[in-house]
Each structure stands twice: as C-alpha cells, then as structure tokens.
Amino acid sequence: MSSDHITPIPHRCWAEIDLAALERNLKSIRASLPASMKYVAVVKADAYGHGLHQAAARMMHSGADLFAVANVSEAISLRELGPDWPILLLSPLLPEEDRFLTEYKLAATLSTEDEIARFAAVGKSCGEPISVHLKIDTGMGRLGVWHVNAPALYAKIIANSHLQLAGIFTHFASPEDIAFTDEQRRLFLHALDRCEGISLNEIFVHADNSAGIASMPEESPFNAVRVGLLQFGILPHSHSLLAAVNPQPVFSFRTRVGVVKQLPSGTTISYGRTHTLVRDSTIAVLCAGYGDGIPRAASNRAEVLIHGQRCPLLGRVTMDQTIVDVTDNPNVICGDEAVLVGQQQGAEISITEFSEWAETIPWETLCSVTKRVPRLYRTPLGI
Ligand SMILES: Cc1ncc(COP(=O)(O)O)c(C=O)c1O
C-alpha cells in the first residue's frame, strides 16, 4: 500500500508531556536558589519516563549545568544531543564499560580504590585524565566511600595524574527526616574539611535532591543541587516546603473508553471476581491496563476522570483493559477520554494521589509507564 493511504492509528493510551512546564519548573527552582548554585539535572530512567532526548534538550536551554544519568546506555543516548555537555554516571560501571568514559567523555561516580585503578588505566591508555565525582557515603549505605575513609580516597585521586576530580557528593537516605539529613550534611562537611588542599569552588559539590532542597540551609556550604522529581512538577512528599516553588505537572496519563454497557446488580467484575455490583450499573471498559502501566495494586481503589467527573475502578486491572463505574456519569460513550493522571475540565488527579492508590511512589509510577504508551509532546517549541 502506498504511504498516501496510511491512516494514522489513534492513540488508545498515551502520556502527554508538557515541556514548557518542565522549563518553567527548572527556572523557578533555580530562582529559589542562590544565583551561584549550579544545577545538576537528573534525567535517568528516560528522564523519569518523560523521554530523555526531549526533556534534556529542553533543559539544556533552561539552565541545567550538568546531566546525571544512571548508566552508560543512557549516557551514550544523551551524548547524541551534543558533544560538550558534561554528563555524570550515577551508577557504578562494569569493568567492560570503563572504555566508554573516554569514548563519550563521561564523568564516573567513584567509590572505591579498585575504581581508581581501573579508571586511571583508561585515562593512561587514552592520554587524557578521566573525570570523576567522588561519592561519600554519609548514611545511605549504598554507593560511595564511607565518610571516615573519604579523605584518604580523595588524596589518592588527587595524586593520580590520569584522573581529574570534577565533583564530590553525597546522597540523602531520608530527606524528609530533617534531623538525619542534617547529620548527613554534617558528616559530608566534616569529610570535606579533612580533604587536604581541596578547592571547593573548582568542582561540583552536591548533596541536595528534590526533598533535600526543602531543608537546605540558606547559606548552603555546597555549590550545586541534584534534582530529579521536582523539575517534573511533583513534590517529593505531601508536607514538602517546596510548594513555594509552585511546580507544575509535566506528565499526564490518558486513555479512552472502549465499551460502555449495562450490567445487573450482583454481577462480579473482572478476574478473581473481587468486586460485586451492588446496583444495576453502567460500566466503561478503558483501553489500558497493567500492560500500559496502570499498577494492578490500584485495582478496586483508583479513580479516573471522564467528562471531568471521578469514576471508581471496579475489580482487578487486567493487562489491556480496566473497568470503571460510570453509572453516575450518564453521557459517557465509546471513544471518550479517561484521565488516569492529569487534568480534565477543571478536575485533577495528581500523580501522588494515583501512586497512593497503587501503594507506591511517584518515582516508580513514572518509571512503570510502559513502552506501549506513546509520549506526546504538546509544547515542543518556545513557551
Ligand atoms: C544519586 C541520586 N541523586 C539524585 C536523585 C534525584 O532525586 P529526586 O528525584 O528525589 O530529586 C536520585 C534519584 O533517585 C539519585 O539516585
């Protein structure tokens, strides 16, 4: 068939990404910080499901200074956007991946002596020092050199001509716990104090993620923040002081009604028969299920918006369909839009609310929207 005759296939379930909101969020986060504070944009996991290229390209023009990704594949993909942007790998490298550090000009997170030897070997063989950010473990118990041992590892990096220290950082374990976070800040600062000859204004010194910014002291001793969730318009927790930044959601998650039908009282709904209709009802079958990223845990709990009205989920979410009660929403017809996360006719379901129904967190919800779901960029050009 000639391409003239191809009819576009309508979307059954899609995510809308508002890049102008992303830009506004980044700028308003920056505006809430001291002007000298550098901005590390965390864009791992496909920019939290928003699309790495589209999100990062927008952030390059909105005030990001450095991009942080999880792994080498993400970094290589991001490198396509430009040869000069600094890129930091947040996850450890596998030994076979070390060579990509020079090939794609990436900075590595460094936590161990073994990594010093490996990265320096790569630097030596290519004749250029490898850029590293020393990570200090102040209580996360994951990556990073234990804070007590950080000055010794720092000294080894500095003494190695095949490595170049580009940054130093720590990661908060529980940033909503201000006392524990303050203790992590104190341990980080104490470790920095003991790094002999360190010149903090020549490197990125970063600790604060989205929630960390809320409790950051006015005179922060650090010169960079490392932000993920907040730039996508989502508060890290409900009592966050960051409401003042007024973040606007970037992501919404939508589907359509596939079938509307009447069922008698007493009928059970979906697999496992976990819901029984208590009245004669009208149900709408939506064109999305856990194969698209509606968590099964949201079964019998979540709501969707149709015609701006909340409609409860009935029974279990299935792979390709989800059933909702539209008995009190009489004008629903096949083809109508149903909003899982986002706004419709002045009503809104936030990603935080949706995540609570699914007993998870917004970070995981965003990462769980599957490949089957196209991302539609509504505002790709200027604001
Ligand atoms: C090391 C590191 N830094 C920063 C972030 C960004 O955190 P948030 O999305 O809470 O801003 C993450 C996210 O998981 C992370 O793993």
Side-chain angles (χ1 to χ4, degrees):
M1 198 193 279
S2 104
S3 60
D4 296 349
H5 296 103
I6 294 176
T7 318
I9 299 173
H11 298 298
R12 303 168 66 82
C13 177
W14 67 100
E16 280 178 25
I17 312 293
D18 183 347
L19 294 173
L22 175 62
E23 176 163 350
R24 284 194 296 274
N25 291 339
L26 199 158
K27 287 179 172 166
S28 76
I29 298 167
R30 283 215 74 134
S32 72
L33 299 168
S36 59
M37 188 70 75
K38 291 195 271 296
Y39 190 101
V40 182
V42 181
V43 290
K44 59 198 171 112
D46 201 28
Y48 289 43
H50 292 71
L52 176 60
H53 278 196
Q54 292 83 350
R58 192 65 178 229
M59 288 192 251
M60 284 173 177
H61 302 289
S62 317
D65 296 299
L66 183 155
F67 288 98
V69 294
N71 59 41
V72 166
S73 319
E74 293 177 353
I76 292 174
S77 173
L78 184 56
R79 183 52 81 221
E80 288 169 20
L81 293 187
D84 297 324
W85 279 93
I87 301 176
L88 168 64
L89 292 165
L90 290 173
S91 298
L93 285 120
L94 296 171
E96 313 89 275
E97 293 175 325
D98 292 350
R99 67 187 177 88
F100 295 112
L101 291 173
T102 57
E103 222 170 294
Y104 291 93
K105 282 209 293 171
L106 310 176
T109 288
L110 191 151
S111 315
T112 66
E113 284 199 34
D114 170 57
E115 287 169 331
I116 291 189
R118 277 169 41 201
F119 302 159
V122 176
K124 188 175 179 191
S125 71
C126 76
E128 252 185 64
I130 299 294
S131 178
V132 296
H133 285 228
L134 172 62
K135 187 161 190 180
I136 302 181
D137 186 351
T138 53
M140 174 70 183
R142 195 174 60 174
L143 299 180
V145 57
W146 185 240
H147 58 90
V148 175
N149 307 321
L153 202 65
Y154 163 82
K156 288 188 174 145
I157 296 171
I158 293 300
N160 195 313
S161 60
H162 304 300
L163 299 178
Q164 194 206 351
L165 187 72
I168 232 173
F169 71 116
T170 193
H171 191 47
F172 296 142
S174 195
E176 62 284 1
D177 177 344
I178 307 234
F180 191 75
T181 305
D182 280 349
E183 178 59 5
Q184 284 195 265
R185 286 183 209 283
R186 192 188 67 74
L187 293 173
F188 185 41
L189 276 172
H190 185 54
L192 294 177
D193 275 350
R194 287 179 302 125
C195 291
E196 233 167 82
I198 195 164
S199 179
L200 294 179
N201 45 21
E202 285 166 21
I203 58 175
F204 281 80
V205 184
H206 44 118
D208 294 284
N209 57 359
S210 296
I213 292 175
S215 64
M216 202 167 85
E218 220 160 89
E219 298 273 303
S220 173
F222 315 134
N223 63 21
V225 292
R226 202 173 61 249
V227 183
L229 196 73
L230 187 64
Q231 65 200 353
F232 298 110
I234 305 160
L235 294 176
H237 48 84
S238 52
H239 52 284
S240 175
L241 304 170
L242 292 165
V245 171
N246 191 22
Q248 294 161 17
V250 175
F251 167 96
S252 70
F253 192 21
R254 294 163 195 268
T255 182
R256 293 178 73 188
V257 172
V259 156
V260 179
K261 69 176 192 183
Q262 272 75 46
L263 286 174
S265 177
T267 308
T268 57
I269 302 292
S270 192
Y271 291 127
R273 307 176 64 218
T274 57
H275 181 84
T276 305
L277 297 179
V278 292
R279 58 178 174 169
D280 291 346
S281 303
T282 309
I283 61 154
V285 182
L286 309 182
C287 298
Y290 61 76
D292 302 279
I294 305 177
R296 206 164 161 271
S299 300
N300 285 309
R301 302 183 64 181
E303 296 170 349
V304 304
L305 297 172
I306 306 177
H307 297 177
Q309 196 175 314
R310 284 178 177 244
C311 308
L313 256 68
L314 301 178
R316 291 221 174 113
V317 174
T318 71
M319 188 185 287
D320 312 306
Q321 281 110 35
T322 300
I323 301 139
V324 296
D325 184 357
V326 293
T327 314
D328 300 323
N329 198 349
N331 299 321
V332 174
I333 56 168
C334 177
D336 281 349
E337 180 193 72
V339 175
L340 297 150
V341 173
Q343 296 180 350
Q344 191 190 54
Q345 295 178 23
E348 178 168 12
I349 292 175
S350 72
I351 195 156
T352 303
E353 190 176 20
F354 179 86
S355 304
E356 279 164 8
W357 285 322
E359 289 178 358
T360 185
I361 51 174
W363 292 261
E364 188 180 36
T365 300
L366 288 169
C367 291
S368 305
V369 175
T370 67
K371 276 196 294 202
R372 184 159 86 176
V373 178
R375 273 61 171 176
L376 307 184
Y377 296 90
R378 290 299 186 202
T379 52
L381 300 173
I383 300 181

